[in-house]
Amino acid sequence: MREINSLEITKNIKEMCIEANHVLSEDMLKVFNKARENEESKLGCQILDQLDENLKIAKEDMIPICQDTGMAVIFIKIGQDVHVVGDSIEDAINEGVRQGYVDGYLRKSVVKDPLIRENTKDNTPAVIHYEIVKGDKIEITIAPKGFGSENMSRVFMLKPADGIEGVKNAILTAVKDAGPNACPPMVVGVGIGGTFEKCAILSKKALTRSADSHSDIEYVKDLEEEMLEKINSLGIGPGGLGGTQTALAVNIETYPTHIAGLPVAINICCHVNRHVTRTI
């Protein structure tokens, strides 16, 4: 049994919050540069050039990439041979988020109650998804999620008879309805299967997968490529001002489901699609 002090979790979470909000990940930089090369609209190219300049200034001057530094979403895989000493894992995570957002001078956007709406002033609590896995390590992925794109999320409870064409239509409907509101060029995370809540988590998790990768499942890989092509043919373009690069990637995750259902969730993220992963 390997012991990990909760302070180590807090330290890494703090650093990851700051890193994710200031530096574009390598996979996102790769697909972003590809979009700059492929954009055919003159105005679209200008928008992408402005976004590129913003990314460089953010990294060099340690200024947040976006003023909406998001709600901290954490995916944590805990090895079953790990024993955390000190604070609880949840307290350690939230303390890391608190330190990251307070000490990192990041915007605090979380309210304590969804209707009373009093700001917690430290961006806690985080939204945490736990997974117990084999081994003696802890893998942490942090994905700060801004709500310009989060508000464009959709869940479709399709019938099995709707099939893959129904899935395609759901994805395109969500992107069309989002239009410029999700700050395109966007990354589209899709979850297919499971239950109402499972497909939503899958769609969020899909956004943390490398944007320049594809599913290992052949038909899902083909669907990702087809949907990216169809989304980019919608003409929404960078900033929603027209162009050929509406999406940088479409990432799809699947899960077994009930014989009577076909749940589909679409979670859209803006061009920064912040995510950082570390293993302790």
Side-chain angles (χ1 to χ4, degrees):
M1 183 68 69
R2 178 182 174 221
E3 287 192 351
I4 296 178
N5 195 293
S6 62
L7 293 174
E8 189 69 15
I9 297 173
T10 294
K11 173 180 176 291
N12 278 277
I13 293 284
K14 172 186 177 179
E15 293 172 352
M16 293 164 75
C17 285
I18 294 171
E19 178 185 344
N21 276 295
H22 290 84
V23 182
L24 193 69
S25 60
E26 287 298 320
D27 63 305
M28 287 306 304
L29 187 60
K30 184 174 180 180
V31 293
F32 180 79
N33 286 334
K34 184 178 179 181
R36 291 182 70 202
E37 294 172 5
N38 294 336
E39 179 55 59
E40 298 175 10
S41 161
K42 183 178 179 180
L43 180 56
C45 287
Q46 291 176 352
I47 297 296
L48 291 173
D49 286 344
Q50 289 173 358
L51 294 176
D52 183 57
E53 183 180 4
N54 178 68
L55 292 171
K56 290 175 180 175
I57 292 171
K59 184 177 181 178
E60 292 170 3
D61 296 347
M62 281 300 286
I63 299 170
I65 297 172
C66 176
Q67 53 83 24
D68 184 353
T69 52
M71 188 169 190
V73 178
I74 313 289
F75 290 93
I76 183 164
K77 295 181 180 179
I78 305 165
Q80 61 188 10
D81 297 324
V82 169
H83 174 57
V84 175
V85 296
D87 286 338
S88 70
I89 293 176
E90 188 150 335
D91 286 345
I93 290 171
N94 280 315
E95 177 60 19
V97 171
R98 187 194 70 78
Q99 291 181 17
Y101 277 77
V102 173
D103 298 350
Y105 302 101
L106 302 173
R107 196 182 84 179
K108 292 81 177 172
S109 303
V110 176
V111 293
K112 189 178 298 184
D113 183 279
L115 296 179
I116 298 173
R117 307 197 72 79
E118 177 188 353
N119 199 297
T120 64
K121 298 182 172 60
D122 59 9
N123 224 58
T124 65
V127 174
I128 309 169
H129 303 289
Y130 297 96
E131 186 177 350
I132 305 299
V133 297
K134 291 181 179 180
D136 63 356
K137 294 179 172 59
I138 295 178
E139 181 184 283
I140 304 168
T141 297
I142 181 166
K145 192 66 163 66
F147 264 61
S149 59
E150 186 73 357
N151 284 335
M152 298 298 105
S153 305
R154 298 285 298 274
V155 172
F156 296 83
M157 300 303 290
L158 303 180
K159 300 179 183 67
D162 292 325
I164 196 165
E165 292 305 317
V167 172
K168 292 177 186 178
N169 183 62
I171 296 170
L172 290 175
T173 297
V175 172
K176 287 176 185 176
D177 289 349
N181 296 317
C183 300
M186 61 187 75
V187 177
V188 181
V190 181
I192 306 172
T195 54
F196 174 80
E197 81 283 2
K198 181 64 176 181
C199 68
I201 294 172
L202 286 173
S203 68
K204 178 64 63 65
K205 190 174 182 180
L207 292 174
T208 68
R209 201 184 83 207
S210 181
D212 59 346
S213 69
H214 281 295
S215 171
D216 294 331
I217 303 170
E218 193 62 30
Y219 90 86
V220 178
K221 174 181 179 291
D222 293 342
L223 184 59
E224 289 174 339
E225 292 174 339
E226 180 183 348
M227 287 294 94
L228 181 60
E229 183 178 348
K230 287 187 174 180
I231 288 169
N232 284 336
S233 69
L234 294 175
I236 297 170
L241 298 173
T244 60
Q245 301 300 303
T246 297
L248 302 174
V250 176
N251 287 358
I252 301 174
E253 298 291 327
T254 62
Y255 195 82
T257 193
H258 191 277
I259 56 172
L262 180 55
V264 179
I266 296 93
N267 193 217
I268 299 173
C269 198
C270 66
H271 70 283
V272 297
N273 188 32
R274 294 163 291 200
H275 57 275
V276 175
T277 298
R278 289 188 184 181
T279 300
I280 301 174

